Amino acid sequence: MIGRLHGRILSKHPPQLLLDVGGVGYEVEAPMSTFYDLPAVGETVALVTHLVVREDAWSLYGFGREQERALFRRLLKVTGVGAKMALAILSSMDAARFAQSIEHEDLDALIRVPGIGRKTAQRLVMELRDSLDVIPGSVPHLPETRAGGADPREQALADAVSALVALGYRPVDATRMARAADDGTGGAEDIIRSALRAASAR
């Protein structure tokens, strides 16, 4: 089992990065929460990892914090949740927000994560609501910022990401675009408009 890598970043193309560890290049997939904190290409970084072995492929997933890896592993135990969906969840909300969504059975917040439909959201709540204390990084009984328990800023970002995915962007690209376009003041429509303007200018 490969549990940790420390090496130089050769390339970054979300959700993948190439890491040079002692002359060996490791292809690693990581959530956007990890990508936001990565140093520039050419610099060194340490990641905790999780190796998924299937008949047709070995896939290595990297995380900047142990908390992220622990939640990723917990999500993989939920029926119907695979590595890609677990990465989408980690890219869309932190562990505390995810725990709050489960605690309050906030299906709407979960459905905003790209790739999660109502049935999957219901399954997440059903299988995790009695084990909130073991969700890494969760904070029981978080105060709600408004009815439904969703933070207005995070909800605007989630709505923008969902709209960009509907327009054909990959979930990881949509998340990156939305966060890059968010100036902290506008709503979802403003984020989407800025993201599309930036994309068309490239």
Side-chain angles (χ1 to χ4, degrees), residues 17-164:
L17 65 147
L18 183 62
L19 203 62
D20 179 1
V21 181
V24 178
Y26 288 86
E27 293 182 345
V28 181
E29 291 193 42
M32 293 310 300
S33 54
T34 291
F35 262 91
Y36 296 139
D37 295 331
L38 287 177
V41 172
E43 297 187 22
T44 60
V45 68
L47 299 174
V48 292
T49 60
H50 178 82
L51 180 64
V52 175
V53 179
R54 301 193 307 268
E55 290 185 3
D56 58 340
W58 287 27
S59 300
L60 191 61
Y61 298 89
F63 309 90
R65 292 175 288 274
E66 175 58 40
Q67 171 184 314
E68 292 179 323
R69 181 175 67 174
L71 178 54
F72 178 82
R73 288 174 168 173
R74 183 67 185 86
L75 288 169
L76 291 182
K77 295 180 181 179
V78 176
T79 305
V81 174
K84 288 186 178 180
M85 186 175 294
L87 282 185
I89 292 173
L90 285 167
S91 293
S92 302
M93 61 178 72
D94 60 23
R97 181 60 59 193
F98 176 72
Q100 184 180 14
S101 299
I102 297 297
E103 180 181 12
H104 294 285
E105 301 186 15
D106 190 352
L107 299 183
D108 289 338
L110 295 172
I111 290 173
R112 292 189 189 99
V113 176
I116 291 185
R118 182 161 295 273
K119 288 185 178 180
T120 302
Q122 291 172 336
R123 189 180 305 120
L124 284 166
V125 169
M126 181 179 66
E127 296 193 24
L128 295 176
R129 62 188 172 190
D130 294 328
S131 58
L132 281 176
D133 57 328
V134 300
I135 295 179
S138 64
V139 180
H141 308 295
L142 289 174
E144 294 186 0
T145 55
R146 70 175 186 177
D151 180 285
R153 187 79 257 128
E154 289 301 319
Q155 181 166 336
L157 280 168
D159 290 344
V161 169
S162 295
L164 290 168

